[in-house]
Amino acid sequence: MAKTVIPLKELRAPLAIPPAHASSDGVALADTRGRKLRDLRISVTDRCNFRCVYCMPKEVFDADYPYLEHDEVLTFEEIVRIARVFRAVGGIEKVRLTGGEPLLRRDIERLVALLREALPGVDLTLTTNGSALKAKARALKAAGLDRVTVSLDSLDDATFQAMNDVDFPVAKVLEAIDVAAAAGLAPLKINMVVKRGVNDHQVVDLARHFRGTGHVVRFIEYMDVGSTNGWRMDDVIPSAEVVRRIHEHFPLQPIGSLYPGEVAKRWRYADGAGEIGVISSVTRAFCSTCTRARLSTDGQVYTCLFAQRGFDLKTLLREGATDDALSSALRGIWQHRADRYSEIRTDETARERKVEMSFIGG
Ligand code: SAM
């Protein structure tokens, strides 16, 4: 690991868990800005087999990188217990498994089955780089996964391989997308992170490729997550530009959100060939409607993707906390939540030591 980088283990001193408001029993849970808790993202591993230059650059995440030890990682049973308490306190409607690369976690389909059983009716999804999806799609569906999001930054092999930085061929991801759709994990979402001068020439190609398939491509503004990707505002292609470029080839019309707090702004093709989404967390912050909590691989709760520290639920849990004690901890954490990083982002905040996305989950 590059000497200039401080390992995450040294950045993880947890925050003190604030007490829940005494009179809040039975009152709908909301944070200091009135935001509800609706989505839970669970990072099931801090490891990935890709080295995407904007997420886990090779020079930092090398053979010496201090990944979590086995006993630091939450077990499936611990994840399910925390997810169940999350649902009880906040009425979670959506759970997304992520990482790192979630399909690298051994027997991930067993976790899906456990969550499906514990959280009936919840929208259960997973975000993957697609490398192991062909092999796993059927088992994931059988275990109860509803849908899958596949990250795909380019259709052009040279660009794709330069971005994943492990020479993984795009054809295998495209094949996995077809297999996942056939297995019933459709409609898929396809995430493309757009970085100026790197893959922005692929925006229209990606739109063209997936038009008419039922899958929804979501163009994501390159973000200053973590502290290792050397983010600069100049590298961001604003979503408005993405929409403009696609609209020149395939006319687009704006459409409304499917649910409150949906982060992607939706656009439909005027000719009826489906829709795209744009996620503009840099140029049009959506903090005011953010309903997401994140559970890191080692059992810390983060209330913002750009947080520097989390709340250590694992220690509480392993010290024998009851469900009531865990509920109270989660209520206290959420009631005190005031995060609005994207609204106050500056060049200076972009240089802060935020926790890596591969650790708390994208
Ligand atoms: N390994 C899985 C994958 O590749 O989808 C899940 C984890 S990954 C961190 C989740 C998502 O975060 C991916 O779609 C990835 O492209 C996105 N992501 C990572 N770093 C990003 C950045 N700096 N800006 C915007 N999106 C980013």
Side-chain angles (χ1 to χ4, degrees):
M1 192 184 70
K3 295 257 178 316
T4 50
V5 173
I6 300 175
L8 282 174
K9 288 184 186 211
E10 289 172 26
L11 296 176
R12 277 191 268 124
L15 294 162
I17 296 179
H21 300 325
S23 58
S24 63
D25 272 2
V27 176
L29 187 64
D31 72 6
T32 59
R33 304 180 77 200
R35 297 169 295 191
K36 303 275 187 319
L37 171 57
R38 289 214 176 85
D39 311 85
L40 176 61
R41 301 204 151 201
I42 303 173
S43 174
V44 295
T45 175
D46 60 339
R47 293 165 193 255
C48 188
N49 54 336
F50 282 16
R51 285 291 171 273
C52 297
V53 289
Y54 54 76
C55 188
M56 293 183 74
K58 230 176 205 168
E59 31 323 330
V60 176
F61 295 88
D62 60 13
D64 298 329
Y65 187 82
Y67 290 102
L68 293 169
E69 304 292 338
H70 184 71
D71 63 353
E72 292 181 277
V73 173
L74 288 183
T75 65
F76 288 169
E77 286 67 24
E78 288 172 332
I79 291 174
V80 173
R81 178 150 176 238
I82 293 176
R84 207 197 290 265
V85 176
F86 255 106
R87 186 168 206 202
V89 297
I92 297 289
E93 292 161 14
K94 192 167 169 182
V95 171
R96 178 173 297 279
L97 300 180
T98 176
E101 172 47 43
L103 299 188
L104 292 186
R105 178 86 188 247
R106 192 181 304 158
D107 296 332
I108 184 74
E109 51 276 34
R110 190 170 79 78
L111 175 62
V112 170
L114 291 171
L115 286 169
R116 178 77 294 156
E117 195 189 346
L119 309 175
V122 154
D123 189 22
L124 190 54
T125 66
L126 176 148
T127 302
T128 173
N129 61 27
S131 58
L133 184 59
K134 183 180 170 196
K136 291 265 182 187
R138 273 180 225 288
L140 289 167
K141 180 69 192 175
L145 193 71
D146 290 314
R147 283 174 303 103
V148 77
T149 296
V150 178
S151 301
L152 178 62
D153 295 328
S154 175
L155 291 173
D156 165 59
D157 225 5
T159 310
F160 185 65
Q161 294 189 18
M163 287 185 85
N164 66 53
D165 218 7
V166 292
D167 296 334
F168 197 86
V170 74
K172 286 199 173 176
V173 179
L174 292 174
E175 192 186 354
I177 288 172
D178 290 344
V179 170
L185 293 167
L188 273 73
K189 287 182 187 155
I190 313 291
N191 277 357
M192 175 184 185
V193 176
V194 186
K195 195 170 172 192
R196 189 180 297 281
V198 175
N199 66 337
D200 61 305
H201 62 289
Q202 281 282 295
V203 162
V204 175
D205 287 353
L206 230 91
R208 181 182 293 111
H209 183 88
F210 288 104
R211 264 167 55 81
T213 62
H215 308 324
V216 179
V217 183
R218 300 180 333 152
F219 299 90
I220 304 177
E221 287 179 350
Y222 170 48
M223 295 183 286
D224 53 328
V225 287
S227 51
T228 56
N229 68 6
W231 183 89
R232 295 176 324 136
M233 186 66 203
D234 289 353
D235 296 330
V236 178
I237 301 268
S239 294
E241 191 175 329
V242 166
V243 169
R244 202 163 45 240
R245 287 193 198 178
I246 298 173
H247 182 75
E248 278 171 14
H249 294 79
F250 311 109
L252 291 166
Q253 299 163 340
I255 43 177
S257 305
L258 285 172
Y259 51 87
E262 187 176 30
V263 297
K265 287 281 168 256
R266 301 168 62 218
W267 294 79
R268 66 183 288 275
Y269 292 111
D271 65 2
E275 66 178 79
I276 61 157
V278 290
I279 301 182
S280 323
S281 61
V282 178
T283 60
R284 291 191 65 176
F286 39 80
C287 303
S288 64
T289 55
C290 179
T291 54
R292 293 174 176 183
R294 297 182 139 82
L295 180 63
S296 70
T297 314
D298 69 341
Q300 295 194 44
V301 173
Y302 287 83
T303 54
C304 177
L305 178 57
F306 300 93
Q308 299 189 34
R309 292 159 74 196
F311 301 91
D312 181 11
L313 227 56
K314 182 183 69 187
T315 300
L316 257 188
L317 186 126
R318 290 192 178 169
E319 284 174 356
T322 61
D323 280 1
D324 278 352
L326 292 174
S327 303
S328 169
L330 286 180
R331 285 209 314 279
I333 291 168
W334 197 261
Q335 285 164 346
H336 287 82
R337 177 183 189 240
D339 307 271
R340 55 188 201 99
Y341 176 83
S342 290
E343 289 178 354
I344 55 169
R345 171 186 287 109
T346 60
D347 283 349
E348 209 151 293
T349 62
R351 283 194 293 272
E352 286 168 358
R353 293 193 184 284
K354 303 179 286 308
V355 70
E356 295 300 325
M357 195 158 176
S358 52
F359 179 69
I360 56 172

